[in-house]
């Protein structure tokens, strides 16, 4: 769908998701790596636990379907080559520290002079300017500074972050959407612009508007671990099963109270509660608890009945029951569970292959969306270091032949 | 004065969007467009208003359908229209909107739009080059397509919840995590589809499964399982290869600082900033391997230092030395962050009943066509503007619609 467009990606942890999304949509994404290879190649885990430029799982996951050029941007010759590439590119994605490119004469103003249509997305931990622009960043640090980290975990322990890095992935997704918005405008004006993406800000999004708590005059959102809290009500939302966990819990009210009725029907039928418990007024239950008609100890007892039922079954059994009775429960999936999920299987979501270099099976996620009028074969391999340098720098220096007329730059060679 | 149809100079001025979504994914995907100047009509039915209106924070901690910071944040810059899609006259208005727009976004379970006679196939007759985005948890097809679910289920099913929490406790909830990933994916794919239409004249039905698109964020873990047989773990705040890496207690109630040391250089910087140069020569801590072997003891030493200081002081000291650290902001205190202030993260918007409210600004800064944040729609507050100015109906026609119950 985006095949006419050339995306240059000065490869780093910060840029790879943005480039990946463009590659998934068929764009011609070219990673620019230093002669020793992108730092992303050195990020563990590695295939078989053995480090190597083609063995990194992050590199493979997010750089499939891209091409690679090696350039030394600390050398004048490398910078000239980048400028030549910029002349024929539609987007440039970079994640260097603010000022790094400008210090090499490759700041946005210079790139726009070469190609007024170039859209440059700069992705950093805190942004291009400001009191924290030169802060040292990290995944946990970005989440901490965003407010989101404070909302995760148990109240009696420190806030807790995810055990798989995410912050730069959120920033990359924001960058990709912003690039396409700038592109829409470029089609009418012929001009690009500079997009400033901050991982700190991108992570605020996960706070779901709780960032407005202060200005709107509400009480702070407290972290509640594995449940939800409504005033005095503690609602468990993670239930342990025989071999894992299920996500979901008691819901009340007219819209989703009936799901609780169906859940309690199953719990009772299996002998984990009596009929009176099953037949509580789940639609009105919130009010009954809040006005004291129903003691809070009853809520705890009901949740323990549910917990006992869940502990007696496996995730697979419970998910089958949830589907059969239309319950608001889902597995807390592991990668193994995801690969076995019947919905994803039915949708043909996974691309499974065998990597002969790694001597191991691989599985890649399918398309980010399906389109009625577009499809693309999945990419199975990520480029070797500088694999396409000769073909891209030797031959394809002119503006991309499939590019739009309005993007012809004056003075390009 | 509120001039909802006036251009805000943003990159997407001229783009026309109909948004019949609710809650978070759909609305935020089109708010992104509205901030950049797109004309976005957010359609609700008064009998079943957007559940985001029950989302906190509330104005002065008092709930109410027009007092929700969540709704305001997810729908700023849009026009608010009420329509009854089950009323034949209301449905006719909707079809006029479909003919008017470039993009339609809906987030119902797959059978709803066809059951209203509003499938993509039917709407394409009205607008042959329509770009229609249908987003729901599982996608438009498959055995689970009709299964409802909220963010708690989505985050669990897509694999995120399993990565959050302490090894000795059940997983913790990461909020409605898949909503936030899918929102960006929706914005990105609909803009790609629009560009494709511009080049080819062909519209598109976009089937966006929130779980599927979100799985891209755990792709390395999928590979780690298939290639290495690695079982996904929740590890608290520790990570392999970076020690110390965690959240440490500071002076004050529920006050914490996040510290993530990834290199020996950063470790030395931490030791210097903490006034503990001896740490770098302590055999237990001198190398990364040694630190990993003595992680609990190291964490105790660091906590003993951080407990005596405010989180902000620790952040400043460590950052001055070049070590990654940040105070763990509480949501209510986020306004004190100088960097967010610098980026004008909070913007003022006009609101018909609350006067002026604060909403988040656009997350990405555009150097030339940033747009602006101006207003928050109220329930049906822009019915006249939409019907008269966008669809060209006259007062008599609008009166007829109202009488017919089309706007209920």
């Amino acid at each position: 769908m985006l095949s006419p467009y050339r995306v240059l990606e000065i490869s780093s942890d910060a840029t790879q998701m943005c480039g990946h999304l463009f590659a998934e949509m068929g764009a011609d994404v070219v990673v620019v790596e230093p002669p020793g290879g992108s730092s992303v190649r050195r990020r563990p885990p590695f295939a078989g636990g053995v480090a190597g430029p083609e063995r990194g799982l992050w590199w493979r996951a997010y750089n499939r379907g891209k091409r690679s050029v090696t350039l030394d941007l600390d050398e004048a010759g490398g910078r000239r080559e980048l400028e030549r590439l910029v002349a024929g590119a539609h987007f440039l994605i970079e994640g260097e520290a603010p000022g790094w490119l400008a210090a090499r004469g490759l700041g946005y103003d210079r790139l726009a002079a070469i190609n007024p249509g170039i859209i440059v997305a700069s992705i950093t931990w805190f942004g291009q300017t400001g009191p924290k622009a030169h802060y040292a960043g990290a995944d946990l640090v970005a989440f901490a500074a965003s407010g989101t980290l404070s909302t995760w975990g148990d109240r009696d322990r420190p806030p807790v972050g995810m055990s798989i890095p995410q912050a730069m992935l959120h920033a990359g997704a924001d960058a990709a959407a912003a690039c396409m918005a700038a592109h829409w405008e470029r089609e009418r004006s012929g001009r690009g612009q500079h997009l400033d993406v901050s991982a700190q800000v991108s992570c605020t999004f996960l706070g779901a508007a709780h960032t407005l708590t202060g200005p709107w005059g509400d009480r702070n959102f407290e972290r509640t671990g594995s449940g939800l809290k409504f005033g005095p009500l503690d609602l468990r939302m993670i239930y342990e099963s025989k071999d894992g966990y299920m996500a979901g819990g008691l819901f009340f009210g007219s819209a989703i109270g009936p799901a609780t009725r169906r859940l309690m029907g199953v719990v009772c039928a299996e002998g984990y509660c009596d009929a009176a418990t099953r037949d509580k007024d789940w639609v009105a239950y919130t009010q009954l608890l809040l006005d004291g008609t129903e003691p809070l100890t009853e809520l705890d007892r009901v949740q323990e009945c549910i917990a006992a039922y869940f502990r007696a079954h496996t995730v697979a059994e419970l998910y089958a029951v949830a589907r059969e009775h239309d319950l608001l429960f889902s597995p807390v999936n592991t990668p193994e569970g995801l690969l076995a999920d019947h919905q994803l299987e039915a949708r043909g979501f996974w691309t499974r292959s065998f990597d002969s270099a790694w001597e191991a099976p691989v599985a890649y996620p399918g398309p980010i969306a399906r389109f009625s009028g577009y499809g693309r074969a999945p990419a199975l391999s990520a480029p070797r270091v500088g694999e396409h340098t000769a073909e891209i720098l030797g031959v394809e220096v002119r503006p991309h032949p499939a590019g739009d007329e309005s993007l012809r730059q004056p003075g390009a060679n | 004065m509120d001039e909802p149809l006036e251009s805000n100079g943003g990159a997407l001025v001229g783009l026309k969007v109909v948004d019949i979504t609710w809650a978070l994914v759909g609305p935020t995907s089109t708010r992104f467009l509205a901030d950049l100047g797109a004309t976005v009509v957010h359609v609700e039915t008064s009998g079943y208003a957007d559940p985001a209106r029950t989302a906190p924070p509330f104005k002065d901690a008092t709930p109410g359908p027009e007092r929700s910071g969540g709704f305001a944040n997810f729908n700023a810059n849009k026009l608010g229209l009420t329509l009854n899609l089950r009323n034949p006259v209301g449905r006719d208005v909707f079809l006029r909107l479909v003919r008017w727009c470039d993009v339609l976004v809906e987030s119902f379970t797959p059978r709803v739009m066809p059951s209203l006679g509003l499938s993509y196939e039917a709407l394409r007759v009205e607008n042959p080059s329509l770009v229609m985005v249908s987003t729901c948890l599982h996608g438009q097809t498959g055995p689970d397509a009709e299964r409802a679910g909220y963010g708690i289920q989505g985050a669990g099913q897509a694999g995120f919840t399993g990565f959050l929490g302490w090894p000795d406790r059940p997983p913790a909830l990461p909020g409605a995590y898949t909503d936030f990933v899918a929102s960006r994916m929706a914005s990105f794919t609909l803009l790609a589809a629009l560009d494709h239409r511009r080049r080819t004249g062909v519209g598109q039905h976009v089937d966006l499964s929130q779980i599927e698109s979100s799985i891209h964020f755990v792709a390395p873990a999928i590979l780690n399982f298939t290639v290495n047989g690695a079982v996904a773990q929740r590890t608290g705040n520790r990570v392999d290869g970076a020690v110390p890496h965690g959240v440490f207690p500071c002076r004050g109630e529920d006050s914490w600082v996040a510290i993530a040391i990834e290199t020996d250089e950063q470790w030395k910087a931490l030791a210097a900033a903490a006034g503990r140069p001896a740490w770098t020569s302590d055999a237990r801590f001198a190398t990364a391997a040694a630190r990993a072997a003595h992680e609990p003891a190291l964490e105790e030493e660091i906590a003993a230092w951080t407990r005596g200081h405010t989180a902000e002081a620790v952040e400043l000291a460590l950052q001055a030395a070049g070590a990654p650290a940040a105070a763990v902001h509480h949501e209510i205190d986020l306004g004190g962050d100088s960097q967010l202030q610098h980026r004008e993260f909070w913007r003022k918007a006009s609101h018909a009943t609350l006067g002026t409210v604060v909403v988040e600004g656009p997350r990405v800064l555009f150097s030339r066509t940033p747009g602006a944040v101006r207003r928050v729609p109220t329930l049906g507050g822009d019915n006249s503007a939409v019907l008269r100015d966008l669809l060209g109906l006259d007062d008599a026609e609008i009166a007829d619609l109202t009488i017919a119950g089309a706007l209920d």
Side-chain angles (χ1 to χ4, degrees):
Chain A
M1 184 169 277
L2 299 181
S3 60
Y5 305 114
R6 163 74 57 86
V7 179
L8 297 176
E9 185 197 325
I10 301 179
S11 173
S12 72
D13 286 340
T15 63
Q16 59 181 335
M17 172 55 76
C18 182
H20 169 66
L21 294 178
F22 272 98
E24 288 286 289
M25 297 297 291
D28 174 19
V29 181
V30 175
V31 291
V32 175
E33 309 187 58
S38 167
S39 58
V40 178
R41 293 177 182 272
R42 294 188 280 283
R43 176 189 268 285
F46 299 99
V50 176
E54 315 308 330
R55 300 185 70 86
L57 300 188
W58 279 78
W59 178 257
R60 175 67 64 86
Y62 294 127
N63 294 279
R64 292 178 295 125
K66 301 177 184 174
R67 295 194 289 166
S68 167
V69 163
T70 45
L71 290 180
D72 188 347
L73 297 181
D74 287 331
E75 297 281 329
R79 295 195 283 270
R80 294 294 85 76
E81 295 289 6
L82 184 71
E83 290 179 349
R84 287 167 70 202
L85 287 174
V86 166
H90 302 89
F91 302 92
L92 182 130
I93 318 297
E94 66 92 9
E96 305 304 315
W100 191 94
L101 279 178
R104 287 155 180 76
L106 297 168
Y108 172 73
D109 289 342
R110 169 66 184 150
L111 300 182
I114 293 165
N115 178 354
I118 191 78
I119 290 166
V120 176
S122 293
I123 307 170
T124 55
W125 291 109
F126 288 91
Q128 292 294 297
T129 61
K132 302 190 181 183
H134 288 280
Y135 262 23
D139 198 71
L140 191 66
V141 165
F143 274 103
S146 75
T148 296
L149 183 63
S150 73
T151 68
W152 290 351
D154 301 310
R155 186 62 184 81
D156 66 338
R157 285 193 179 177
V160 69
M162 239 180 245
S163 301
I164 177 172
Q166 295 287 287
M168 277 304 182
L169 306 184
H170 289 287
D174 271 338
C179 278
M180 288 306 295
H183 173 68
W184 200 87
E185 194 276 341
R186 172 173 58 188
E187 287 306 318
R188 53 179 57 179
S189 72
R191 298 171 61 194
Q193 56 191 303
H194 193 189
L195 308 176
D196 177 352
V197 185
S198 151
Q200 176 195 23
V201 171
S202 292
C203 290
T204 63
F205 191 35
L206 283 82
H210 289 293
T211 61
L212 302 180
T213 305
W216 282 60
D218 206 337
R219 287 177 294 272
N220 188 46
F221 181 87
E222 302 286 342
R223 59 187 179 282
T224 53
S226 310
L228 297 176
K229 200 161 174 57
F230 293 111
L233 311 185
D234 284 310
L235 295 173
R236 298 170 59 160
M237 287 289 150
I238 299 287
Y239 283 87
E240 188 171 8
S241 75
K242 247 172 156 171
D243 60 350
Y245 297 90
M246 294 291 282
L250 292 174
F251 298 98
F252 312 126
S254 53
I256 47 184
T260 297
R261 176 66 179 81
R262 294 191 294 274
L263 165 70
M264 297 312 291
V266 171
V267 172
C268 179
E270 295 268 329
Y272 288 88
C273 77
D274 59 19
T277 303
R278 176 195 65 198
D279 296 340
K280 289 179 187 292
D281 184 351
W282 302 113
V283 170
Y285 206 62
T286 307
Q287 196 50 44
L288 296 175
L289 288 166
L290 291 181
D291 66 28
T293 311
E294 184 82 335
L296 294 180
T297 49
E298 261 302 277
L299 175 62
D300 293 339
R301 188 185 69 78
V302 169
Q303 293 191 110
E304 188 43 47
C305 294
I306 297 168
Y309 162 67
F310 274 68
R311 281 194 296 268
H313 295 279
T314 64
V315 167
E317 289 166 352
L318 292 165
Y319 196 38
V321 167
R323 291 200 306 273
E324 184 191 337
H325 295 273
D326 192 20
L327 307 180
L328 286 171
F329 275 87
S330 291
V332 173
N333 263 328
T334 59
E336 181 170 20
L338 277 171
L339 288 164
D341 182 271
H342 79 142
Q343 167 73 3
L344 295 174
E345 203 56 52
R347 299 252 294 170
F349 180 68
W350 296 107
T351 296
R352 290 181 167 84
S353 181
F354 187 85
D355 191 282
S356 46
W358 296 350
E359 295 180 320
V362 290
Y364 304 119
I368 56 178
R370 322 281 169 121
F371 299 86
S372 57
Y374 168 74
R376 173 180 170 268
L380 295 180
S381 64
R384 295 188 307 281
V385 180
E387 182 177 346
H388 307 93
T389 303
E391 85 190 43
I392 292 175
L393 292 183
V395 177
E396 296 183 59
V397 178
R398 305 177 65 78
H400 199 279
D404 195 287
E405 289 289 323
S406 67
L407 286 165
R408 183 149 302 141
Q409 300 85 39
N413 44 339
Chain B
M1 179 157 167
D2 185 25
E3 297 286 0
L5 299 181
E6 191 181 300
S7 161
N8 74 359
L12 296 178
V13 166
L15 179 63
K16 296 171 287 188
V17 183
V18 176
D19 169 3
I20 54 170
T21 68
W22 61 48
L24 201 151
V25 181
T28 55
S29 75
T30 63
R31 159 130 199 232
F32 169 77
L33 309 174
D35 284 350
L36 291 166
T39 306
V40 179
V41 179
H42 182 250
V43 182
E44 292 174 78
T45 307
S46 347
Y48 193 85
D50 189 329
R53 293 177 181 279
T54 62
F58 295 105
K59 182 86 171 100
D60 301 329
T62 307
E66 298 291 7
R67 304 181 65 85
S68 159
F71 179 84
N73 209 42
F74 306 153
N75 294 285
N77 280 340
K78 301 180 195 174
L79 299 161
L81 174 73
T82 50
L83 265 190
N84 185 345
L85 296 183
R86 296 185 195 279
N87 175 299
V89 183
R91 188 172 171 282
D92 187 62
V93 174
F94 180 74
L95 294 179
R96 286 176 186 257
L97 282 173
V98 169
R99 290 194 288 274
W100 163 83
C101 78
D102 296 303
V103 187
L104 167 68
V105 185
E106 65 93 5
S107 59
F108 297 112
T109 51
R111 99 182 129 221
V112 171
M113 291 294 274
S115 74
L116 295 169
L118 301 174
S119 66
Y120 172 66
E121 289 67 33
L123 296 180
R124 227 166 52 150
V125 172
E126 307 292 331
N127 181 341
S129 61
L130 177 71
V131 171
M132 176 170 169
V133 178
S134 295
T135 177
C136 59
L137 205 54
H138 297 282
Q140 298 294 298
T141 58
D144 286 352
E146 291 298 328
R147 263 182 67 70
Y150 297 94
I152 286 173
Q153 289 84 21
Q157 193 151 13
F160 296 98
T161 308
F163 280 112
L164 187 67
W166 304 96
D168 64 334
R169 290 192 175 177
L173 300 178
Y177 200 88
T178 51
D179 284 6
F180 307 104
V181 183
S183 175
R184 280 94 156 224
M185 299 292 188
S187 302
F188 174 67
T189 55
L190 76 83
L191 288 167
L194 282 169
D195 185 74
H196 183 262
R197 180 181 82 173
R198 179 188 61 79
R199 301 189 325 258
T200 66
V202 175
Q204 210 73 231
H205 189 196
V206 184
D207 166 7
L208 183 81
S209 156
Q210 293 157 23
I211 287 177
E212 289 177 0
S213 60
S214 294
I215 286 172
H216 283 257
F217 275 43
V218 293
I222 304 288
L223 274 182
N224 205 14
F225 172 72
T226 58
V227 174
N228 295 327
V231 175
Q233 309 270 14
R234 53 190 181 282
T235 59
N237 287 311
R238 292 178 177 168
V239 300
D240 273 341
V243 185
H245 190 282
V247 175
F248 297 89
C250 294
R251 212 168 68 208
E253 158 97 21
D254 197 31
S255 183
W256 309 90
V257 66
I259 300 175
I261 300 300
E262 293 166 345
T263 67
D264 283 337
E265 217 169 52
Q266 291 169 355
W267 165 241
K268 290 186 179 108
L270 166 64
R276 307 281 199 276
W279 280 349
T280 55
S281 48
D282 186 326
R284 295 173 300 162
F285 307 144
T287 66
R291 289 196 291 280
H294 298 96
E295 192 156 22
L298 176 55
E299 287 174 344
E300 263 311 305
E301 299 261 358
I302 292 174
W305 168 57
T306 59
R307 270 194 202 98
H309 303 277
T310 64
E312 281 66 33
V314 175
E315 171 187 315
L316 285 171
L318 288 178
Q319 287 289 355
V328 179
H329 288 321
H330 289 283
E331 295 282 30
I332 202 167
D333 299 325
L334 212 51
D337 185 285
S338 57
Q339 183 66 11
L340 292 177
Q341 285 172 18
H342 172 81
R343 285 180 73 94
E344 297 181 347
F345 180 70
W346 287 273
R347 305 288 177 93
K348 292 200 163 93
S350 68
H351 187 288
T353 58
L354 298 177
T356 302
V357 296
V358 169
V359 294
E360 292 174 350
R363 290 187 299 280
V364 178
L365 304 182
F366 282 59
S367 63
R368 192 170 50 81
T369 59
V373 178
R374 293 200 171 141
R375 47 122 47 196
V376 171
T378 52
L379 186 65
D382 300 299
N383 284 1
S384 288
V386 171
L387 297 170
R388 196 184 55 232
D389 300 326
L390 295 186
L391 297 183
L393 301 180
D394 62 34
D395 289 343
E397 289 167 308
I398 296 174
D400 288 343
L401 292 181
T402 314
I403 291 163
L407 305 180
D408 289 343

